[in-house]
Amino acid sequence: MSEDLWPPHALDDPEAAAPAEAASGSVTLIIPTFNEAANVGELLSRLSAALPAHLPCEVLFVDDSTDDTPALIEKAGPDCPFPVAVLHRAEATGGLGGAVVEGIARAGSDWIVVMDADLQHPPHLVPELVGEGERTGADLVVASRYIAGGSRAGLAGGYRVAVSRGATWLAKGLFPRALRGISDPMSGFFAMRRSAVTADALKPLGYKILLELAVRCRPAKTAEVPFVFQDRFAGESKSTAREGLRFLAHLAALRSATPLARMIGFGLIGLSGFVPNLAALWLLTHAGTQYLAAEVIANQAGVLWNFLLIETLLFRDRRRHRHWADRIGRFALLANADLLLRIPLIALFVGRFGMDVLPATALALVTTFVLRFAATEALVYLPRGPRAATVTRS
């Protein structure tokens, strides 16, 4: 992926892409941007007024814009009392969360603060977030709308309030331990010790990067600071229905990160496959297709349904290891081989071990399910070896 880093002299430094030794109490303020040209000048002006001179701070914009946002940052940067850089990404890999991770990989400070560029996150709270972390010894300090002194006033309309609240309840319900002590896991405004972040472990999808950090990095101690969510200074919100779907996929990927959780998810998806299977069977038989042929064809509808859900919800971060045609071919082969293996197993359980047909069938179903899950993970979604990195991502 090609990218541009400003100031230009950073490109001449062979250590520019690697974290340097941190100055004590230093802060890297990471601001992901996408077409925020109308906001960045005012943001830098307010940051200049808000950041105390004794706080060693640098600002890094990680930019995916298609407008002149990077040029405006470069123009305003020299007038700021702190270093300002902009990393413009040629590909917006991972969305806003991916931009933050790229910023984290370049940060060499004690603290990382993440905030939006639209001024809904008040710049004057940046030193307060870091100060709270230093005072309490917390690894993560979250600016929360949902504790005393906080407010979600800047959320426009009842719909956005309901969506935000619903997403918060869903996230906390799915990750009660990882999000203990975090009242606002949907917040995009927080500070985290650089030593508590393992950038390589992060696999963001969409814009809820705090959730990703809290679940995958598991900071030992958290704290919160109240903040009032402001109105946008200019421009339009980037929250869309598509981002909502990406958030749900992100939740599923985080929840299925362990082998046991993936196996449970695999089984639930398999059960859901009966719906398209039976629907296709009904359509084919009513269209006059011979029932055995209809069974075989309808089974493929269930296979395709299962493949799409497993790709999206369970193994999204492993799809790069093989081309999509290779993955679906292997998946379909394993799914159909399951039928061929089940009958001999039933015969073995009944003939060799004297089991009744119903328990033998149930045991065969469980056995082939476990084998198919293991085979799917190993033969479809695990890397093939060093050459896997050369496969084109799809």
Side-chain angles (χ1 to χ4, degrees):
M1 180 185 72
S2 64
E3 53 191 27
D4 297 318
L5 180 65
W6 181 89
H9 61 76
L11 290 174
D12 300 326
D13 180 1
E15 302 298 325
E21 185 175 350
S24 179
S26 57
V27 177
T28 298
L29 181 55
I30 297 174
I31 307 174
T33 49
F34 178 72
N35 295 349
E36 297 287 359
N39 291 313
V40 291
E42 179 67 17
L43 173 62
L44 287 172
S45 176
R46 294 191 193 181
L47 283 171
S48 297
L51 298 179
H54 67 270
L55 183 67
C57 181
E58 60 182 1
V59 176
L60 174 60
F61 289 89
V62 186
D63 182 71
D64 298 329
S65 297
T66 57
D67 66 1
D68 58 349
T69 297
L72 290 172
I73 296 171
E74 292 177 21
K75 182 179 178 180
D79 296 329
C80 297
F82 41 76
V84 177
V86 55
L87 171 66
H88 181 70
R89 303 196 301 167
E91 297 177 27
T93 306
L96 182 149
V100 172
V101 172
E102 291 208 31
I104 289 172
R106 292 176 180 270
S109 55
D110 280 348
W111 285 92
I112 292 167
V113 177
V114 177
M115 69 183 300
D116 290 345
D118 55 17
L119 291 163
Q120 292 188 299
H121 299 155
H124 71 267
L125 280 184
V126 171
E128 188 171 336
L129 289 170
V130 176
E132 182 70 8
E134 295 283 8
R135 186 182 67 80
T136 62
D139 294 314
L140 172 66
V141 184
V142 178
S144 174
R145 297 163 290 183
Y146 300 126
I147 59 175
S151 169
R152 53 178 184 248
L155 280 176
Y159 170 76
R160 284 195 65 194
V161 170
V163 168
S164 177
R165 248 330 189 179
T168 298
W169 290 336
L170 180 59
K172 289 182 70 66
L174 288 173
F175 306 100
R177 285 186 294 178
L179 299 180
R180 184 181 295 119
I182 300 176
S183 64
D184 194 357
M186 300 299 102
S187 177
F189 192 17
F190 57 89
M192 196 167 190
R193 292 184 191 270
R194 180 64 183 84
S195 58
V197 183
T198 306
D200 291 344
L202 300 176
K203 302 170 184 176
L205 176 63
Y207 60 105
K208 297 305 180 186
I209 185 62
L210 173 59
L211 180 64
E212 174 82 8
L213 284 163
V215 172
R216 294 202 192 273
C217 296
R218 299 295 175 105
K221 185 176 181 180
T222 62
E224 292 187 314
V225 169
F227 91 106
V228 176
F229 194 67
Q230 306 290 317
D231 292 327
R232 249 186 171 274
F233 180 74
E236 297 179 354
S237 171
K238 307 302 189 298
S239 297
T240 63
R242 183 179 181 183
E243 284 297 334
L245 293 175
R246 293 179 78 180
F247 168 68
L248 294 176
H250 189 199
L251 282 179
L254 286 172
R255 186 64 276 174
S256 61
T258 64
L260 178 59
R262 282 197 300 275
M263 182 178 289
I264 293 171
F266 190 86
L268 293 174
I269 289 172
L271 288 175
S272 74
F274 282 112
V275 175
N277 191 324
L278 293 175
L281 183 63
W282 184 87
L283 289 172
L284 289 167
T285 53
H286 278 71
T289 306
Q290 200 270 342
Y291 78 94
L292 289 177
E295 288 277 3
V296 173
I297 297 171
N299 188 61
Q300 307 318 305
V303 169
L304 180 60
W305 170 271
N306 291 344
F307 175 76
L308 293 174
L309 288 184
I310 285 169
E311 284 261 300
T312 303
L313 302 179
L314 296 186
F315 295 110
R316 185 182 185 90
D317 58 326
R318 301 191 191 181
R319 297 187 302 187
R320 66 185 181 277
H321 301 312
R322 298 182 188 277
H323 189 273
W324 69 268
D326 188 9
R327 297 196 305 272
I328 193 171
R330 288 167 176 264
F331 185 87
L333 183 63
L334 289 172
N336 286 285
D338 174 72
L339 296 173
L340 299 177
L341 178 61
R342 197 181 308 154
I343 293 174
L345 273 178
I346 294 171
L348 176 68
F349 294 151
V350 172
R352 177 67 66 88
F353 301 108
M355 296 177 66
D356 291 333
V357 172
L358 285 179
T361 300
L363 182 57
L365 283 168
V366 172
T367 303
T368 56
F369 165 74
V370 173
L371 289 174
R372 184 151 61 93
F373 170 75
T376 298
E377 190 162 37
L379 300 179
V380 181
Y381 291 104
L382 285 187
R384 291 175 293 181
R387 293 183 180 179
T390 64
V391 176
T392 301
R393 185 177 297 182
S394 61

